[in-house]
Coordinates of all heavy atoms in Angstrom, one line a residue:
M1452 N 0.8 -1.2 0.0 CA 0.0 0.0 0.0 C 0.9 1.2 0.0 O 1.8 1.4 0.8 CB -0.9 0.0 1.2 CG -1.7 1.2 1.5 SD -3.0 1.0 2.7 CE -2.0 0.4 4.1
S1453 N 0.7 2.1 -1.0 CA 1.5 3.3 -1.0 C 1.1 4.3 0.1 O -0.1 4.3 0.5 CB 1.4 4.0 -2.4 OG 0.0 4.4 -2.6
A1454 N 2.0 5.0 0.6 CA 1.8 5.9 1.7 C 1.3 7.3 1.2 O 2.0 8.3 1.5 CB 3.0 6.0 2.6
H1455 N 0.2 7.3 0.5 CA -0.3 8.6 0.2 C -1.9 8.6 0.2 O -2.5 7.5 0.0 CB 0.1 9.1 -1.2 CG -0.6 8.6 -2.3 ND1 -0.3 7.3 -2.9 CD2 -1.6 9.1 -3.1 CE1 -1.1 7.1 -3.9 NE2 -1.9 8.2 -4.1
C1456 N -2.4 9.7 0.5 CA -3.9 9.8 0.7 C -4.5 10.2 -0.6 O -4.1 11.1 -1.3 CB -4.2 10.9 1.8 SG -5.9 11.2 2.1
Q1457 N -5.6 9.5 -0.9 CA -6.3 9.8 -2.2 C -7.1 11.2 -2.1 O -7.2 11.8 -3.1 CB -7.4 8.7 -2.5 CG -6.8 7.4 -2.9 CD -7.8 6.4 -3.2 OE1 -8.6 6.1 -2.3 NE2 -7.9 6.0 -4.4
L1458 N -7.5 11.6 -0.9 CA -8.3 12.8 -0.8 C -7.4 14.1 -0.6 O -7.6 15.0 -1.4 CB -9.3 12.7 0.3 CG -10.2 13.9 0.6 CD1 -11.1 14.1 -0.6 CD2 -11.1 13.6 1.8
T1459 N -6.5 14.0 0.3 CA -5.7 15.2 0.6 C -4.4 15.2 -0.1 O -3.7 16.3 -0.2 CB -5.4 15.3 2.1 OG1 -4.7 14.2 2.5 CG2 -6.7 15.4 2.9
G1460 N -4.0 14.1 -0.6 CA -2.7 14.0 -1.3 C -1.5 14.0 -0.3 O -0.3 14.2 -0.7
A1461 N -1.7 13.7 1.0 CA -0.7 13.7 2.0 C 0.3 12.5 1.6 O -0.1 11.4 1.3 CB -1.2 13.5 3.3
R1462 N 1.6 12.9 1.6 CA 2.6 11.9 1.3 C 3.7 11.9 2.3 O 3.7 12.9 3.2 CB 3.3 12.3 -0.1 CG 2.4 12.0 -1.3 CD 3.1 12.3 -2.6 NE 2.2 12.0 -3.7 CZ 2.1 10.8 -4.3 NH1 2.8 9.8 -3.8 NH2 1.3 10.6 -5.3
P1463 N 4.6 11.0 2.4 CA 5.6 11.0 3.4 C 6.5 12.2 3.3 O 6.8 12.8 2.2 CB 6.5 9.8 3.1 CG 5.6 8.9 2.3 CD 4.7 9.8 1.5
G1464 N 6.9 12.7 4.5 CA 7.9 13.8 4.6 C 9.2 13.2 4.9 O 9.3 12.1 5.5
F1465 N 10.3 13.9 4.6 CA 11.6 13.4 4.9 C 12.4 14.3 5.7 O 12.2 15.6 5.7 CB 12.3 13.1 3.5 CG 11.7 12.1 2.7 CD1 10.7 12.4 1.8 CD2 12.1 10.7 2.9 CE1 10.1 11.4 1.1 CE2 11.5 9.7 2.1 CZ 10.5 10.1 1.2
G1466 N 13.3 13.8 6.6 CA 14.1 14.6 7.4 C 15.2 13.8 8.0 O 15.6 12.8 7.4
N1467 N 15.7 14.2 9.2 CA 16.8 13.6 9.8 C 16.4 13.1 11.2 O 15.7 13.8 11.9 CB 18.0 14.5 9.9 CG 18.6 14.8 8.6 OD1 18.9 13.9 7.8 ND2 18.8 16.1 8.3
A1468 N 16.9 11.9 11.5 CA 16.8 11.4 12.9 C 18.1 11.9 13.5 O 19.2 11.6 13.0 CB 16.7 9.9 13.0
I1469 N 18.1 12.6 14.7 CA 19.3 13.1 15.3 C 19.5 12.3 16.6 O 18.7 12.3 17.5 CB 19.1 14.6 15.6 CG1 18.9 15.3 14.2 CG2 20.4 15.1 16.2 CD1 18.7 16.8 14.4
S1470 N 20.6 11.7 16.7 CA 21.0 10.9 17.8 C 21.4 11.7 19.0 O 21.6 13.0 18.9 CB 22.0 9.8 17.5 OG 23.3 10.5 17.3
H1471 N 21.7 11.1 20.1 CA 22.2 11.8 21.3 C 23.5 12.5 21.0 O 23.8 13.6 21.5 CB 22.3 10.8 22.5 CG 22.7 11.5 23.8 ND1 21.9 12.4 24.4 CD2 23.9 11.4 24.5 CE1 22.5 12.8 25.5 NE2 23.7 12.2 25.6
S1472 N 24.3 11.8 20.2 CA 25.6 12.4 19.9 C 25.5 13.4 18.7 O 26.5 13.9 18.2 CB 26.6 11.3 19.5 OG 26.2 10.6 18.3
H1473 N 24.3 13.7 18.3 CA 24.0 14.6 17.2 C 24.4 14.2 15.8 O 24.5 15.0 14.9 CB 24.6 16.0 17.5 CG 23.6 17.1 17.2 ND1 22.4 17.3 17.8 CD2 23.7 18.1 16.3 CE1 21.8 18.4 17.3 NE2 22.6 18.9 16.4
R1474 N 24.5 12.9 15.6 CA 24.7 12.4 14.2 C 23.4 12.3 13.6 O 22.4 12.0 14.2 CB 25.3 11.0 14.3 CG 26.8 11.0 14.7 CD 27.3 9.6 14.7 NE 27.3 9.0 13.4 CZ 28.3 8.9 12.6 NH1 29.4 9.5 12.9 NH2 28.2 8.4 11.4
R1475 N 23.4 12.7 12.3 CA 22.1 12.7 11.5 C 22.0 11.5 10.6 O 23.0 11.3 9.8 CB 22.0 14.0 10.8 CG 21.8 15.2 11.6 CD 21.9 16.5 10.8 NE 21.5 17.7 11.6 CZ 22.3 18.3 12.3 NH1 23.6 18.0 12.4 NH2 21.9 19.4 13.0
T1476 N 20.9 10.9 10.6 CA 20.6 9.8 9.6 C 19.2 10.1 9.0 O 18.3 10.7 9.7 CB 20.6 8.4 10.3 OG1 19.7 8.4 11.4 CG2 22.0 8.0 10.7
S1477 N 19.0 9.7 7.8 CA 17.8 10.0 7.1 C 16.6 9.2 7.7 O 16.8 8.0 8.1 CB 18.0 9.6 5.6 OG 16.9 10.0 4.9
R1478 N 15.5 9.8 7.7 CA 14.3 9.1 8.2 C 13.1 9.6 7.4 O 13.1 10.6 6.6 CB 14.0 9.3 9.7 CG 13.8 10.7 10.1 CD 13.1 10.8 11.4 NE 11.8 10.3 11.4 CZ 11.0 10.3 12.4 NH1 11.3 10.8 13.5 NH2 9.8 9.8 12.3
R1479 N 11.9 8.9 7.6 CA 10.7 9.2 6.9 C 9.6 9.5 7.9 O 9.5 8.8 8.9 CB 10.3 8.0 6.1 CG 10.1 8.2 4.6 CD 10.0 6.8 4.0 NE 8.6 6.4 3.8 CZ 8.1 6.0 2.7 NH1 8.9 5.9 1.7 NH2 6.8 5.7 2.6
F1480 N 8.8 10.5 7.6 CA 7.6 10.8 8.4 C 6.4 10.4 7.6 O 5.9 11.1 6.7 CB 7.5 12.3 8.8 CG 8.6 12.8 9.6 CD1 9.7 13.3 9.0 CD2 8.5 12.7 11.0 CE1 10.8 13.8 9.8 CE2 9.6 13.2 11.8 CZ 10.7 13.7 11.2
D1481 N 5.8 9.2 7.9 CA 4.7 8.7 7.1 C 3.4 9.2 7.7 O 3.2 9.3 8.9 CB 4.6 7.1 7.2 CG 5.7 6.5 6.3 OD1 6.0 7.1 5.3 OD2 6.2 5.4 6.7
P1482 N 2.4 9.5 6.8 CA 1.1 9.9 7.3 C 0.3 8.7 7.8 O 0.7 7.6 7.4 CB 0.4 10.5 6.0 CG 1.1 9.9 4.9 CD 2.5 9.6 5.3
N1483 N -0.6 8.9 8.6 CA -1.4 7.8 9.2 C -2.5 7.3 8.1 O -3.6 7.8 8.1 CB -2.1 8.3 10.5 CG -2.8 7.2 11.2 OD1 -2.8 6.0 10.8 ND2 -3.6 7.5 12.2
I1484 N -2.1 6.4 7.3 CA -2.9 5.9 6.2 C -3.7 4.7 6.6 O -3.2 3.8 7.2 CB -2.0 5.6 5.0 CG1 -1.2 6.8 4.5 CG2 -2.8 5.0 3.8 CD1 -2.1 7.9 3.9
Q1485 N -5.0 4.8 6.3 CA -6.0 3.7 6.5 C -6.7 3.4 5.3 O -7.0 4.3 4.5 CB -7.0 4.1 7.6 CG -6.4 4.7 8.9 CD -5.6 3.7 9.7 OE1 -6.0 2.6 9.7 NE2 -4.6 4.2 10.4
R1486 N -7.1 2.1 5.1 CA -8.0 1.7 4.0 C -9.4 1.6 4.6 O -9.6 0.9 5.5 CB -7.6 0.4 3.4 CG -6.3 0.6 2.6 CD -6.0 -0.7 1.8 NE -7.1 -1.1 1.0 CZ -7.1 -1.5 -0.2 NH1 -5.9 -1.5 -0.8 NH2 -8.1 -1.9 -0.9
K1487 N -10.3 2.4 4.0 CA -11.7 2.4 4.5 C -12.7 2.2 3.4 O -12.5 2.7 2.3 CB -11.9 3.8 5.2 CG -13.1 3.8 6.1 CD -12.9 4.6 7.3 CE -14.1 5.0 8.0 NZ -14.7 3.8 8.7
R1488 N -13.7 1.4 3.7 CA -14.8 1.1 2.7 C -16.0 1.9 3.0 O -16.5 2.0 4.1 CB -15.1 -0.4 2.8 CG -15.8 -0.9 1.6 CD -15.9 -2.4 1.7 NE -17.2 -2.7 2.3 CZ -17.9 -3.8 2.1 NH1 -17.5 -4.7 1.2 NH2 -19.1 -4.0 2.7
Y1489 N -16.5 2.6 2.0 CA -17.7 3.4 2.1 C -18.7 3.0 1.1 O -18.4 2.5 0.0 CB -17.4 4.9 1.8 CG -16.5 5.6 2.8 CD1 -15.2 5.8 2.7 CD2 -17.1 6.1 4.0 CE1 -14.4 6.4 3.6 CE2 -16.4 6.7 5.0 CZ -15.0 6.9 4.8 OH -14.2 7.5 5.7
W1490 N -20.0 3.2 1.4 CA -21.1 2.9 0.5 C -21.3 4.2 -0.3 O -21.5 5.2 0.3 CB -22.4 2.5 1.3 CG -23.6 2.4 0.4 CD1 -24.6 3.2 0.3 CD2 -23.8 1.3 -0.5 NE1 -25.5 2.8 -0.6 CE2 -25.1 1.6 -1.1 CE3 -23.1 0.2 -0.9 CZ2 -25.6 0.8 -2.1 CZ3 -23.7 -0.6 -1.9 CH2 -24.9 -0.3 -2.5
L1491 N -21.3 4.0 -1.6 CA -21.6 5.2 -2.5 C -23.0 5.0 -3.1 O -23.2 4.3 -4.1 CB -20.5 5.1 -3.6 CG -20.3 6.4 -4.5 CD1 -20.0 7.6 -3.6 CD2 -19.2 6.2 -5.5
P1492 N -24.0 5.7 -2.6 CA -25.4 5.5 -3.0 C -25.6 5.8 -4.4 O -26.4 5.2 -5.1 CB -26.2 6.4 -2.1 CG -25.2 6.9 -1.0 CD -23.9 6.7 -1.5
S1493 N -24.9 6.8 -5.0 CA -25.2 7.3 -6.4 C -24.9 6.2 -7.4 O -25.5 6.1 -8.4 CB -24.4 8.5 -6.7 OG -23.1 8.3 -6.6
E1494 N -23.9 5.3 -7.0 CA -23.4 4.3 -7.9 C -23.9 2.9 -7.5 O -23.7 1.9 -8.1 CB -21.9 4.3 -8.1 CG -21.4 5.6 -8.7 CD -19.9 5.6 -8.9 OE1 -19.3 4.5 -8.9 OE2 -19.4 6.7 -9.1
G1495 N -24.5 2.8 -6.3 CA -25.0 1.6 -5.7 C -24.0 0.6 -5.5 O -24.2 -0.6 -5.7
R1496 N -22.8 1.0 -5.0 CA -21.7 0.1 -4.7 C -20.8 0.6 -3.6 O -20.9 1.8 -3.2 CB -20.8 -0.1 -6.0 CG -20.1 1.1 -6.4 CD -19.3 0.9 -7.7 NE -18.5 2.1 -8.1 CZ -17.2 2.1 -8.0 NH1 -16.5 1.1 -7.5 NH2 -16.6 3.2 -8.3
H1497 N -20.0 -0.2 -3.1 CA -19.0 0.2 -2.1 C -17.7 0.6 -2.8 O -17.4 0.1 -3.9 CB -18.6 -1.0 -1.2 CG -19.7 -1.3 -0.2 ND1 -20.6 -2.3 -0.4 CD2 -19.9 -0.8 1.0 CE1 -21.4 -2.4 0.7 NE2 -21.0 -1.5 1.6
V1498 N -17.0 1.6 -2.2 CA -15.7 2.0 -2.7 C -14.7 1.9 -1.6 O -15.1 2.2 -0.4 CB -15.7 3.5 -3.3 CG1 -16.5 3.6 -4.5 CG2 -16.2 4.5 -2.2
R1499 N -13.5 1.5 -1.9 CA -12.5 1.3 -0.9 C -11.5 2.5 -1.1 O -10.9 2.6 -2.2 CB -11.8 0.0 -1.0 CG -10.9 -0.3 0.2 CD -10.3 -1.6 0.2 NE -11.3 -2.7 0.2 CZ -11.8 -3.2 1.4 NH1 -11.5 -2.6 2.5 NH2 -12.6 -4.1 1.3
L1500 N -11.3 3.3 -0.1 CA -10.5 4.5 -0.3 C -9.3 4.4 0.6 O -9.4 3.8 1.7 CB -11.2 5.8 0.1 CG -12.5 6.1 -0.8 CD1 -13.2 7.3 -0.2 CD2 -12.1 6.2 -2.2
T1501 N -8.1 4.9 0.2 CA -6.9 4.9 1.0 C -6.8 6.3 1.5 O -6.5 7.3 0.7 CB -5.7 4.6 0.1 OG1 -5.9 3.3 -0.5 CG2 -4.4 4.5 1.0
L1502 N -7.1 6.5 2.8 CA -7.2 7.9 3.3 C -6.3 8.0 4.6 O -6.0 7.1 5.3 CB -8.6 8.1 3.8 CG -9.7 8.0 2.7 CD1 -11.1 8.1 3.3 CD2 -9.6 9.1 1.7
S1503 N -5.9 9.3 4.8 CA -5.2 9.6 6.1 C -6.3 9.7 7.1 O -7.5 9.9 6.8 CB -4.4 10.9 5.9 OG -5.3 12.0 5.6
A1504 N -5.9 9.7 8.4 CA -6.8 9.9 9.5 C -7.5 11.2 9.4 O -8.7 11.3 9.7 CB -6.1 9.7 10.8
R1505 N -6.8 12.2 9.0 CA -7.4 13.6 8.8 C -8.5 13.5 7.7 O -9.5 14.2 7.9 CB -6.3 14.5 8.5 CG -6.7 15.9 8.4 CD -5.5 16.8 8.1 NE -5.9 18.2 8.1 CZ -5.1 19.2 8.0 NH1 -3.8 18.9 7.9 NH2 -5.5 20.4 8.0
A1506 N -8.2 12.8 6.6 CA -9.2 12.8 5.5 C -10.4 12.0 5.9 O -11.5 12.3 5.4 CB -8.5 12.2 4.3
I1507 N -10.3 11.0 6.8 CA -11.4 10.3 7.3 C -12.4 11.2 8.0 O -13.6 11.2 7.8 CB -11.0 9.1 8.2 CG1 -10.3 8.0 7.3 CG2 -12.2 8.5 8.9 CD1 -9.7 6.9 8.1
R1508 N -11.8 12.1 8.8 CA -12.7 13.1 9.5 C -13.3 14.1 8.5 O -14.5 14.5 8.6 CB -11.9 13.9 10.5 CG -11.4 13.1 11.7 CD -11.0 13.9 12.9 NE -9.9 14.8 12.5 CZ -8.6 14.6 12.6 NH1 -8.2 13.4 13.0 NH2 -7.8 15.5 12.3
T1509 N -12.6 14.4 7.4 CA -13.1 15.2 6.3 C -14.3 14.6 5.6 O -15.3 15.2 5.4 CB -12.0 15.6 5.3 OG1 -10.9 16.2 6.0 CG2 -12.6 16.5 4.2
V1510 N -14.2 13.3 5.3 CA -15.3 12.5 4.7 C -16.5 12.5 5.6 O -17.6 12.6 5.2 CB -14.8 11.1 4.4 CG1 -16.0 10.2 3.9 CG2 -13.8 11.1 3.3
D1511 N -16.2 12.4 7.0 CA -17.4 12.4 7.9 C -18.1 13.7 7.9 O -19.3 13.7 8.1 CB -16.8 12.1 9.3 CG -16.4 10.6 9.5 OD1 -16.8 9.8 8.6 OD2 -15.7 10.3 10.5
S1512 N -17.4 14.8 7.6 CA -18.1 16.1 7.7 C -18.7 16.5 6.3 O -19.8 17.0 6.3 CB -17.1 17.2 8.1 OG -16.1 17.4 7.2
I1513 N -18.0 16.2 5.2 CA -18.5 16.6 3.9 C -19.4 15.6 3.2 O -20.1 15.9 2.3 CB -17.4 17.1 2.9 CG1 -16.5 16.0 2.5 CG2 -16.7 18.3 3.5 CD1 -15.5 16.3 1.4
G1514 N -19.2 14.3 3.6 CA -20.0 13.2 3.0 C -19.1 12.5 2.0 O -18.2 13.1 1.4
V1515 N -19.5 11.2 1.7 CA -18.7 10.4 0.8 C -18.9 10.8 -0.6 O -17.9 10.8 -1.4 CB -19.0 8.9 1.0 CG1 -20.4 8.6 0.6 CG2 -18.0 8.0 0.3
E1516 N -20.1 11.3 -1.0 CA -20.3 11.8 -2.4 C -19.4 12.9 -2.8 O -18.7 12.9 -3.8 CB -21.8 12.2 -2.6 CG -22.7 11.1 -2.4 CD -22.8 10.1 -3.6 OE1 -22.3 10.4 -4.7 OE2 -23.4 9.0 -3.4
A1517 N -19.3 13.9 -1.9 CA -18.5 15.1 -2.1 C -17.0 14.7 -2.1 O -16.2 15.3 -2.9 CB -18.7 16.2 -1.1
A1518 N -16.6 13.8 -1.2 CA -15.2 13.4 -1.1 C -14.8 12.6 -2.4 O -13.7 12.9 -3.0 CB -15.0 12.4 0.1
V1519 N -15.7 11.8 -2.9 CA -15.4 11.0 -4.2 C -15.3 12.0 -5.3 O -14.4 11.9 -6.2 CB -16.4 9.9 -4.4 CG1 -16.3 9.4 -5.9 CG2 -16.2 8.8 -3.4
A1520 N -16.1 13.1 -5.3 CA -16.1 14.1 -6.4 C -14.7 14.8 -6.3 O -14.1 15.1 -7.4 CB -17.2 15.1 -6.2
R1521 N -14.3 15.1 -5.1 CA -13.0 15.8 -5.0 C -11.8 14.9 -5.5 O -10.9 15.4 -6.1 CB -12.7 16.2 -3.5 CG -13.4 17.4 -3.1 CD -12.9 17.8 -1.7 NE -13.8 18.8 -1.1 CZ -13.5 19.3 0.1 NH1 -12.5 18.9 0.8 NH2 -14.4 20.2 0.6
I1522 N -11.9 13.6 -5.2 CA -10.8 12.7 -5.6 C -10.8 12.6 -7.1 O -9.7 12.7 -7.7 CB -11.0 11.3 -5.0 CG1 -10.8 11.3 -3.5 CG2 -10.1 10.3 -5.6 CD1 -11.2 10.1 -2.7
R1523 N -12.0 12.5 -7.7 CA -12.1 12.5 -9.2 C -11.6 13.8 -9.8 O -11.0 13.8 -10.9 CB -13.4 12.1 -9.6 CG -13.8 10.7 -9.3 CD -15.1 10.3 -9.8 NE -15.3 8.8 -9.6 CZ -16.5 8.2 -9.4 NH1 -17.6 9.0 -9.2 NH2 -16.5 6.9 -9.2
A1524 N -11.9 14.9 -9.2 CA -11.4 16.2 -9.7 C -9.9 16.3 -9.7 O -9.3 17.0 -10.5 CB -12.0 17.4 -8.9
R1525 N -9.3 15.7 -8.7 CA -7.8 15.7 -8.6 C -7.2 14.7 -9.7 O -6.0 14.6 -9.8 CB -7.3 15.2 -7.2 CG -7.6 16.2 -6.2 CD -7.1 15.7 -4.8 NE -5.7 16.0 -4.7 CZ -4.8 15.1 -4.4 NH1 -5.1 13.9 -4.2 NH2 -3.5 15.4 -4.4
G1526 N -8.0 13.9 -10.3 CA -7.5 13.0 -11.3 C -7.4 11.6 -10.8 O -6.8 10.7 -11.4
G1527 N -7.9 11.3 -9.6 CA -7.8 10.0 -9.0 C -8.9 9.1 -9.5 O -9.9 9.5 -9.9
K1528 N -8.6 7.8 -9.4 CA -9.5 6.8 -9.8 C -10.2 6.2 -8.6 O -9.6 5.8 -7.6 CB -8.7 5.7 -10.6 CG -9.6 4.6 -11.1 CD -8.8 3.6 -11.9 CE -9.6 2.4 -12.3 NZ -9.1 1.2 -11.7
V1529 N -11.5 6.0 -8.7 CA -12.3 5.5 -7.5 C -13.0 4.2 -8.1 O -13.6 4.3 -9.1 CB -13.3 6.5 -7.0 CG1 -14.1 5.8 -5.9 CG2 -12.5 7.7 -6.4

């Protein structure tokens, strides 16, 4: 599963892990990605979306129809 959100486009950030001796090594900050299944009434089917935890809250507030419309407007496939 790729670490990016279909709705918000959140992707991993990159930076350094700094040890006690202050040596820097590369690290990744991954978004909290979940796979969630929603019922899409307009199409009469379920859709499985790969969303960040923040995007799941967005879907709860705007609704699944509006969220799928946003994903499709970004060029994503649902």
